[in-house]
Amino acid sequence: MKQTYYKAIDETLFETVLDNGMQLFIIPKKGFQKSYVTMTTKYGSIHNDFVRQDGTKVHMPKGIAHFLEHKMFEKEDGDMFNAFSKYGSSANAFTSYDRTSYLFTTVESLKENIKLLVDMLQTPYFTKESVEKEVGIIAEEIKMYQDQPNYRLYYQTLKAMYHTHPVRVDIAGTVESINEITDQTLYDCYNTFYHPKNMVMFIVGNVEPKAMTEYINGIIKPFNTFQPVNILPFEEPEGVAVNEVKSIDNVQMDKLMLGIKTDNFKSTDNLILTELKILFALDMLFGEQTDFYQSLLKDQLIDDSFGFNFTIEPTFSHMFIAGATRDAERLKQRIISQLYKFDLLNDQKAFDLIIRQTIGEYVSSMNSPEYIANQFTRYFFNDVILFDILPLLEQLTLAECIETYKSTLNNAHITDSRIVKRNG
């Protein structure tokens, strides 16, 4: 078992490969009552089109990864949520664009809960009748979210930004696409992506790594030989699909979201490091501490819903700047002007302050088993160990951030997306 000590945060990471081929990571937390466990497969909502080793091309309905996540909790003898609760744990799961993660947190019966999680993910159970029932449940979930203005604005923006990339589609799919899902397509996806060699298990809590590894090896079952597939490349044009998009809803104030499509994902740089650089630059331009932000408040162009974000994954990257406003056109022009004020980034004092704040938040987050477990897998799938972030932060320079941000904006494409109030 590989053991790595991170002195700066006083954490030790234990790493091994289980007998079935799954990677296991353990962070012992002596004295902690709560334990947090995740099992994550490298399979998300954008992985619908792939090629098997025999050359067969496969197309799966949009939303099937999320649908499969739901169905994994259902077994012939009942609902797994009830089984976890009997052992004093709270279980959950989520599907993102690139992964599906199953998790639980508990202060007791850790081994029993781990066995439940492992058994659940080793024994799929789908029937025609249960799948048809789930279609109705998820269809209602999709409709419910579409009634929320912020949710609608988000996907309205993505659909306007992207021509064909599946990121433009709701992770849950559409009402039409989920009706194409059958018990057989679920088994096909499970057998393709839920192989232990495509999964990672992470445990953080008051555990002894060697003994826990031996226990897990004793409860896992052997799997067939892993046959990885090739995800078909996404043929996404460089520019945005639509420059402007607008819809009407019963909102108190108009909502503006500028979607800024970038090509950072094509860079050979580390994705997480690129993410940090862009977020720091955006904070220096649009953060609450800036004169720009305060001027927008003073002019009553924004409220406390105003914010920004940058997302980067292996096949796409983009920024969002959004907020409710009384004058969307004026706010848009102010934001776009600010985006290109590169000279404002040349502020070493402001940069140093942001770095210190980020380091403080990072160190503090090491006390949260939930944060460590959830972030670790995301970083791991992007070829970064979570505990390497601190030295990255300490070595990052203002010049590097400015260079990355400038090159990003010089190759960016912007979509203006709005929800305007009815009769406004």
Side-chain angles (χ1 to χ4, degrees):
M1 175 174 274
K2 181 181 177 183
Q3 179 177 340
T4 307
Y5 177 64
Y6 295 86
K7 183 178 179 180
I9 54 175
D10 192 27
E11 296 286 2
T12 301
L13 175 66
F14 292 82
E15 175 185 354
T16 191
V17 177
L18 295 170
D19 292 345
N20 64 1
M22 182 165 56
Q23 287 185 274
L24 170 66
F25 294 92
I26 299 177
I27 302 289
K29 285 279 193 179
K30 292 184 178 180
F32 272 59
Q33 288 189 317
K34 182 185 291 186
S35 295
Y36 200 84
V37 179
T38 67
M39 282 181 68
T40 304
T41 178
K42 198 173 184 179
Y43 172 53
S45 68
I46 65 174
H47 301 143
N48 296 318
D49 298 284
F50 51 89
V51 181
R52 300 191 189 279
Q53 288 186 341
D54 62 3
T56 305
K57 290 186 178 180
V58 179
H59 170 72
M60 288 294 175
K62 295 177 177 63
I64 193 168
H66 171 261
F67 200 107
L68 181 55
E69 171 219 310
H70 275 229
K71 295 306 295 176
M72 289 304 297
F73 281 93
E74 186 177 316
K75 304 301 176 187
E76 188 172 9
D77 56 354
D79 189 317
M80 289 299 296
F81 287 107
N82 293 329
F84 280 105
S85 65
K86 288 179 181 177
Y87 282 108
S89 69
S90 175
N92 210 335
F94 66 85
T95 302
S96 68
Y97 293 117
D98 68 336
R99 68 193 190 280
T100 305
S101 191
Y102 300 83
L103 52 100
F104 71 81
T105 181
T106 187
V107 295
E108 57 183 289
S109 306
L110 178 59
K111 287 184 176 180
E112 290 82 355
N113 281 297
I114 287 177
K115 188 175 189 306
L116 280 179
L117 184 64
V118 170
D119 288 347
M120 182 181 85
L121 296 182
Q122 289 185 147
T123 54
Y125 174 74
F126 316 127
T127 66
K128 181 176 182 292
E129 294 73 21
S130 69
V131 170
E132 290 175 352
K133 179 181 178 182
E134 195 69 34
V135 167
I137 295 172
I138 295 181
E140 289 303 314
E141 180 183 321
I142 292 171
K143 293 174 184 177
M144 177 186 69
Y145 280 117
Q146 288 175 345
D147 288 337
Q148 300 176 9
N150 289 337
Y151 178 89
R152 281 187 47 227
L153 180 63
Y154 174 71
Y155 276 106
Q156 172 181 287
T157 308
L158 284 173
K159 288 178 182 178
M161 291 168 65
Y162 290 91
H163 298 254
T164 60
H165 195 293
V167 71
R168 70 193 303 272
V169 180
D170 189 332
I171 288 173
T174 66
V175 173
E176 293 74 24
S177 70
I178 63 172
N179 272 280
E180 301 172 21
I181 296 172
T182 67
D183 55 330
Q184 188 55 56
T185 57
L186 289 175
Y187 276 117
D188 285 347
C189 287
Y190 173 86
N191 291 325
T192 299
F193 295 103
Y194 277 63
H195 193 282
K197 287 189 176 181
N198 197 49
M199 301 181 75
V200 173
M201 187 174 191
F202 188 92
I203 302 171
V204 56
N206 190 4
V207 298
E208 200 291 307
K210 185 178 179 181
M212 182 57 73
T213 302
E214 291 175 353
Y215 171 74
I216 297 172
N217 270 327
I219 61 174
I220 58 178
K221 71 175 186 179
F223 273 70
N224 296 328
T225 302
F226 182 44
Q227 297 184 341
V229 298
N230 293 318
I231 304 297
L232 287 174
F234 305 116
E235 297 179 359
E236 173 66 28
E238 185 176 300
V240 296
V242 180
N243 291 317
E244 296 182 357
V245 61
K246 182 188 296 185
S247 61
I248 299 172
D249 204 343
N250 294 319
V251 291
Q252 292 184 335
M253 285 199 299
D254 292 352
K255 293 179 178 291
L256 170 70
M257 176 175 282
L258 296 184
I260 305 161
K261 189 177 179 183
T262 75
D263 62 359
N264 299 95
F265 68 94
K266 298 178 181 178
S267 172
T268 57
D269 293 342
N270 179 283
L271 295 187
I272 300 299
L273 185 58
T274 299
E275 181 178 80
L276 291 170
K277 291 177 182 177
I278 299 298
L279 286 173
F280 289 159
L282 288 173
D283 200 8
M284 292 176 70
L285 291 171
F286 297 98
E288 294 183 8
Q289 78 285 354
T290 63
D291 292 339
F292 176 77
Y293 181 91
Q294 296 303 320
S295 71
L296 294 181
L297 282 178
K298 182 179 179 182
D299 295 340
Q300 298 184 339
L301 280 176
I302 62 170
D303 59 15
D304 58 8
S305 69
F306 182 82
F308 58 85
N309 196 18
F310 174 69
T311 299
I312 182 168
E313 297 294 347
T315 62
F316 67 90
S317 53
H318 52 245
M319 304 178 200
F320 288 131
I321 303 176
T325 181
R326 301 181 186 279
D327 190 337
E329 187 60 33
R330 190 177 168 200
L331 177 59
K332 172 187 174 180
Q333 296 307 321
R334 294 273 288 272
I335 291 173
I336 290 178
S337 174
Q338 185 74 358
L339 272 170
Y340 291 92
K341 289 183 178 178
F342 302 135
D343 57 306
L344 294 179
L345 295 174
N346 196 22
D347 185 339
Q348 188 66 50
K349 183 177 179 181
F351 177 76
D352 291 342
L353 178 60
I354 292 172
I355 290 288
R356 289 197 299 272
Q357 289 174 337
T358 305
I359 289 175
E361 292 168 358
Y362 170 82
V363 172
S364 176
S365 68
M366 292 301 104
N367 290 319
S368 168
E370 292 91 338
Y371 174 87
I372 294 172
N374 288 324
Q375 290 298 312
F376 185 91
T377 305
R378 187 225 166 187
Y379 283 24
F380 177 73
F381 283 159
N382 283 307
D383 301 318
V384 175
I385 296 298
L386 174 63
F387 305 124
D388 289 331
I389 293 298
L390 187 55
L392 286 178
L393 288 169
E394 293 173 337
Q395 296 165 16
L396 195 59
T397 68
L398 176 58
E400 291 174 323
C401 287
I402 293 174
E403 180 183 3
T404 299
Y405 179 79
K406 287 177 69 173
S407 63
T408 296
L409 265 292
N410 288 334
N411 294 291
H413 303 270
I414 301 176
T415 286
D416 171 343
S417 176
R418 306 182 191 187
I419 291 182
V420 299
K421 63 181 180 180
R422 202 175 300 277
N423 300 322

